Amino acid sequence: MHHSHNRATLGGKLSAVLVAAGSSVGLGNIWRFPYVAGDNGGGAFLVIYILCVLLLGLPLMLAEFSVGRATHRNAVGAYRALDKRWSFLGYNGVLAAFLILGFYFVVSGWTAEYMVHSVTGSLAKYTTAQEYQSIFENFIQNPWRPVLYTLLFVLATHFVIALGVQKGIERSAKVLMPLLFVILIALAIHSLLMPGGGEGFRFFFQPDFSKVTPSTLLVALGQAFFSLSIGIGTMVTYASYFKPETNLRHTALNVTILDTLVAILAGVVIFPAVFSVGIEPTSGPSLVFITLPSIFNGMPLSMVWSSVFFLLLVVAALTSTISLHEVITAYCHEEWHMSRRAAAWTTTAATALLGIMASLSVGILNGWKLFGLNLFDLLDYLTANIMLPVGGLFTCLFVGWKLDQQVLKDQITNHGALKFRIYRTFIFLLRYLCPIVMLLVFLDNLGVF
Ligand code: PHE
């Protein structure tokens, strides 16, 4: 196996958890989770989602960590080093990272704009949810402002990567993540106490399985993978920088728990408020951008709350865009033999272009549709519901059946230094349960049953 020299490794004990959690916790938890849960019936979706996270997501994250740290390579190089025929898995990841960044940068730009409007006080000028809906629509359909914010976000990501200020991000994440947690809890309490909030609480926690369709299962699976950043080579790439003594299974468990708690908390913030101010829980990607300002509006010191909250959201988004950018940068750097600088600029230029197109596709180019979806929705659907689950399926098959079991054991137990009592359960999940469940979900969606 190759061990490339002078490759960076991550510092202190906490960093593995921090950077991996930084990648996982992002807009996927706070923007995407509530909107897909709302679209897919609420409570029943939550139950299925949690099952997907525990039974499929967690073992897969551990599998990806093992592949990354065993090879010390980018996503493509890692699979190639283990078995040439499986390098397509890495390509699927690099391509998915590119396509995700296309719409993720746009939504990140929206959060940056909302942060600015919170600080200047202009967000606090409105009162009703209907007003917030129309300012949101006006904003995203504006031909240049969202594009500008998208580009700003692309550049911010680029400079963090290029200047190697990951350390700074690592350190600030230590403070900002707990703060995000505290704010979410405060907002959740406020939201629950809003008049009519109980109905939203029931919507989110009372499963109504009659609303479950084949697509609910696929969407839950896709959302779990998206939120945990798996099925795409991000965790392979990050783990390639982990130290030999990092405990992979603790890292995977901590990241999974943290990520899921943030998503659930986001649901407890959003749904009571949605019902209280009378918005449809099925209003799609705009859901949180209409709901959140309405929540802040009813709070004392609303400007402070919303400024701090959107700032944290910007930071959470940034640590995720960095991880996606890194997948592509590491690939270009190591496989195309570019300097890191050139690799980072190539990634930045390509994703900026796609981001601009995606941003315009919800505004002036909204008429351009493929399969009935504009570019923004298409990128979102294609990556989360197809490329990530497919990537996950093949990762299971590869690690469960193809990979030398000794390599896997060595990574998980740090060459025998740690115990892993549930190894057999883990292998069973990877070999049988995960692939079978995923296949059934796919076939179900293709209408086979
Ligand atoms: N997990 C991130 C989020 O929830 C998004 C992401 C997906 C990041 C895939 C990396 C890889 O916001």
Side-chain angles (χ1 to χ4, degrees):
M1 214 144 301
H2 311 268
H3 281 277
S4 33
H5 297 292
N6 58 42
R7 239 169 150 265
T9 51
L10 292 163
K13 218 180 184 176
L14 260 178
S15 344
V17 175
L18 269 179
V19 293
S23 169
S24 294
V25 176
L27 299 175
N29 308 60
I30 292 164
W31 160 73
R32 200 173 189 281
F33 176 77
Y35 109 64
V36 292
D39 261 348
N40 287 278
F45 180 87
L46 178 63
V47 174
I48 299 170
Y49 175 78
I50 292 177
L51 286 175
C52 287
V53 165
L54 292 178
L55 293 177
L56 310 179
L58 186 55
L60 258 169
M61 189 182 291
L62 192 49
E64 287 201 16
F65 279 163
S66 306
V67 168
R69 199 178 55 178
T71 53
H72 295 290
R73 303 254 133 186
N74 66 84
V76 172
Y79 288 105
R80 175 177 299 136
L82 294 167
D83 187 335
K84 250 208 203 95
R85 285 164 304 176
W86 289 78
S87 45
F88 72 87
L89 251 176
Y91 287 112
N92 179 64
V94 173
L95 184 61
F98 170 66
L99 299 177
I100 289 178
L101 275 179
F103 72 92
Y104 205 96
F105 272 140
V106 176
V107 185
S108 304
W110 298 346
T111 60
E113 157 105 11
Y114 270 62
M115 179 184 82
V116 171
H117 284 319
S118 303
V119 174
T120 60
S122 61
L123 203 61
K125 280 204 290 242
Y126 308 89
T127 43
T128 65
Q130 285 64 33
E131 280 172 316
Y132 283 117
Q133 179 153 12
S134 68
I135 63 157
F136 177 72
E137 275 159 14
N138 276 338
F139 164 60
I140 64 169
Q141 286 166 10
N142 184 296
W144 61 272
R145 261 174 37 217
V147 173
L148 208 71
Y149 277 100
T150 300
L151 287 178
L152 256 171
F153 219 94
V154 177
L155 286 178
T157 307
H158 178 87
F159 285 113
V160 174
I161 293 245
L163 295 174
V165 286
Q166 282 103 322
K167 279 259 143 60
I169 291 267
E170 262 177 70
R171 238 168 274 147
S172 54
K174 256 185 237 179
V175 182
L176 293 174
M177 285 264 230
L179 191 59
L180 179 66
F181 228 81
V182 173
I183 294 222
L184 279 173
I185 291 175
L187 291 181
I189 295 171
H190 176 83
S191 178
L192 283 171
L193 295 176
M194 285 167 79
E199 198 185 333
F201 191 77
R202 276 190 297 280
F203 173 79
F204 189 45
F205 284 110
Q206 232 170 43
D208 174 1
F209 287 101
S210 67
K211 288 185 190 153
V212 174
T213 64
S215 93
T216 316
L217 303 177
L218 181 62
V219 171
L221 182 74
Q223 172 60 24
F225 287 9
F226 185 85
S227 188
L228 295 170
S229 311
I230 54 178
I232 177 182
T234 316
M235 292 308 180
V236 173
T237 308
Y238 266 13
S240 74
Y241 305 112
F242 286 179
K243 289 187 158 174
E245 56 274 19
T246 298
N247 185 331
L248 297 185
R249 61 187 216 287
H250 278 181
T251 309
L253 190 65
N254 286 334
V255 171
T256 305
I257 292 175
L258 213 79
D259 187 73
T260 308
L261 282 179
V262 173
I264 294 175
L265 263 177
V268 182
V269 172
I270 298 296
F271 290 113
V274 162
F275 283 84
S276 174
V277 298
I279 319 169
E280 287 302 319
T282 52
S283 42
S286 62
L287 185 69
V288 294
F289 288 95
I290 301 165
T291 315
L292 283 169
S294 315
I295 299 176
F296 296 128
N297 214 274
M299 299 175 76
L301 297 175
S302 69
M303 250 172 86
V304 178
W305 282 100
S306 74
S307 305
V308 175
F309 182 81
F310 280 111
L311 171 72
L312 293 173
L313 205 50
V314 163
V315 175
L318 188 63
T319 53
S320 299
T321 55
I322 289 168
S323 72
L324 287 157
H325 196 289
E326 179 62 31
V327 171
I328 311 171
T329 300
Y331 163 71
C332 294
H333 173 49
E334 292 175 8
E335 302 298 313
W336 293 357
H337 307 290
M338 289 176 155
S339 67
R340 242 195 97 85
R341 209 181 122 84
W345 273 117
T346 307
T347 308
T348 299
T351 50
L353 220 63
L354 189 64
I356 293 173
M357 299 292 293
S359 176
L360 294 176
S361 82
V362 292
I364 50 177
L365 301 184
N366 204 359
W368 297 11
K369 294 210 157 116
L370 205 62
F371 308 115
L373 298 173
N374 60 35
L375 180 65
F376 178 98
D377 293 329
L378 189 68
L379 292 174
D380 181 335
Y381 188 89
L382 180 70
T383 51
N385 296 340
I386 300 173
M387 295 178 84
L388 267 51
V390 168
L393 170 63
F394 283 99
T395 307
C396 282
L397 293 175
F398 176 70
V399 177
W401 293 96
K402 260 334 250 190
L403 183 65
D404 179 354
Q405 294 296 300
Q406 196 55 43
V407 172
L408 188 62
K409 256 194 198 140
D410 283 348
Q411 287 307 321
I412 298 176
T413 63
N414 290 355
H415 298 272
L418 305 168
K419 286 217 165 27
F420 189 41
R421 286 199 195 84
I422 56 163
Y423 186 76
R424 295 177 101 170
T425 316
F426 169 66
I427 287 294
F428 171 79
L429 290 176
L430 277 186
R431 281 207 168 153
Y432 301 102
L433 190 93
C434 303
I436 291 173
V437 169
M438 284 189 241
L439 257 172
L440 289 178
V441 172
F442 280 132
L443 294 178
D444 202 7
N445 272 275
L446 293 172
V448 175
F449 304 119

